[in-house]
């Protein structure tokens, strides 16, 4: 793990990286709101705000990686995690982790989570996550094998995998809740919790472990959170 934002601060305008790597983020636009998460607090965005992580962190094209997150939204064509130069144009090899729409992604799967890069093609899932409930989503990439996977709630499912592993542009950094010009140019509307980035390809079992770990207990350690409760929130 090379970055993890648990969003358990519950106040302020900074999100802490609990991986020990020091990749803290700051509110960079608008006014994200602290809300209840899958365990502890989460951060909600209303379409005109985001968090900037001023760090490279890891390669997401020409190297193995995994990203996991909890998301809750009713919107499509919005990105909840972006690696770019923090402008409003999707430039060559900039990357987005977003909730797709058939009208813009060309995938025919409105509401499916997708990882996409400019001139890199997609790793596209097949499960609608735009139902206003919490979903655990993950993308993995194994560079040498040119193999990518999307997981939703611990279950693997890929509708399209043409991602070619285009190398990241040096100097690009990470934004939470930011959409870089495409697919819709509108920032994320919804909540996010427990975003993790790894510089390796997690297995299906490891993805499930990360999901379960993230919802095990609240920060006080007093309230066990069941999977059934999470699905109905």
């Amino acid at each position: 793990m090379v970055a993890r934002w648990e969003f358990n601060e519950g106040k302020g305008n900074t999100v802490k990286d609990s991986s020990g790597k020091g990749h803290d983020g700051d509110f960079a636009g608008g006014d994200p709101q602290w809300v209840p998460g899958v365990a502890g607090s989460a951060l909600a965005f209303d379409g005109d705000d985001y968090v900037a992580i001023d760090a490279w962190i890891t390669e997401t094209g020409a190297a193995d990686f995994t990203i996991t997150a909890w998301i809750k939204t009713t919107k499509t064509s919005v990105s909840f995690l972006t690696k770019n130069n923090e402008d409003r144009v999707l430039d060559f090899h900039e990357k987005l982790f977003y909730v797709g729409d058939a009208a813009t992604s060309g995938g025919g799967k409105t509401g499916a989570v997708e990882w996409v890069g400019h001139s890199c093609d997609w790793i596209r899932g097949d499960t609608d996550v735009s139902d206003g409930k919490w979903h655990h989503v993950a993308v993995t990439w194994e560079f040498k094998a040119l193999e990518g996977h999307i997981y939703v709630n611990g279950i693997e499912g890929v509708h399209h995998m043409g991602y070619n592993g285009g190398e990241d542009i040096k100097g690009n950094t990470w934004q939470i809740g930011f959409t870089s010009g495409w697919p819709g140019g509108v920032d994320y509307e919804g909540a996010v919790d427990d975003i993790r980035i790894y510089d390796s390809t997690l297995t299906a079992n490891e993805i499930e472990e990360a999901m379960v770990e993230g919802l095990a207990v609240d920060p006080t350690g007093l309230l066990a959170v069941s999977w059934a409760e999470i699905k109905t929130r």
Side-chain angles (χ1 to χ4, degrees):
M1 187 188 298
V2 291
R4 182 183 182 185
W5 303 284
E6 297 182 69
F7 303 104
N8 283 337
E9 293 80 9
K11 61 181 179 179
N13 57 8
T14 299
V15 295
K16 297 293 185 180
D17 172 20
S18 60
S19 74
K21 305 295 185 181
H23 303 311
D24 298 345
D26 297 305
F27 291 10
D31 187 22
Q33 298 295 304
W34 298 102
V35 296
V38 294
S41 60
L43 206 55
F45 302 83
D46 63 8
D48 65 356
D49 38 37
Y50 68 99
V51 173
I53 314 293
D54 187 20
W56 166 264
I57 300 180
T58 196
E59 169 69 36
T60 62
D64 297 351
F65 77 91
T66 299
I67 299 171
T68 71
W70 285 94
I71 66 170
K72 180 180 181 180
T73 187
T74 59
K75 302 297 183 179
T76 59
S77 291
V78 289
S79 173
F80 51 91
L81 188 64
T82 302
K83 189 174 187 182
N84 75 335
N85 62 1
E86 207 175 348
D87 71 10
R88 292 295 178 176
V89 177
L90 185 65
D91 295 322
F92 184 70
H93 283 193
E94 292 183 345
K95 311 295 198 321
L96 303 169
F97 202 9
Y98 79 109
V99 181
D101 190 293
T104 54
S105 74
K109 290 283 184 176
T110 294
V113 67
E114 307 183 8
W115 176 261
V116 65
H118 186 298
S119 302
C120 302
D121 213 323
W122 287 274
I123 307 173
R124 179 183 295 127
D126 60 5
T127 301
D128 186 352
V129 299
S130 61
D131 58 2
K133 298 179 181 180
W134 282 109
H135 294 280
H136 188 265
V137 299
V139 56
T140 68
W141 173 243
E142 187 177 358
F143 176 59
K144 288 185 177 180
L146 295 179
E147 184 174 338
H149 297 273
I150 293 287
Y151 296 81
V152 176
N153 301 332
I155 300 173
E156 191 271 339
V158 174
H159 174 65
H160 172 80
M161 210 304 290
Y163 191 63
N164 60 34
E167 187 175 5
D168 293 345
I169 302 301
K170 297 300 182 185
N172 278 2
T173 59
W174 295 82
Q175 334 299 329
I176 300 171
F178 184 93
T179 298
S180 182
W182 181 91
V186 177
D187 288 341
Y188 182 66
E189 294 183 56
V192 295
D193 202 356
D194 197 9
I195 297 177
R196 308 181 189 194
I197 301 177
Y198 301 80
D199 62 0
S200 60
T201 307
L202 268 59
T203 66
N205 285 340
E206 290 169 332
I207 295 289
E208 186 173 5
E209 288 172 5
M211 178 186 71
V212 173
E213 179 189 33
L215 59 82
V217 294
D218 77 352
T220 66
L222 300 176
L223 176 63
V225 180
S226 74
W227 178 235
E229 287 178 302
I230 292 296
K231 289 195 292 184
T232 58
R233 289 187 184 180

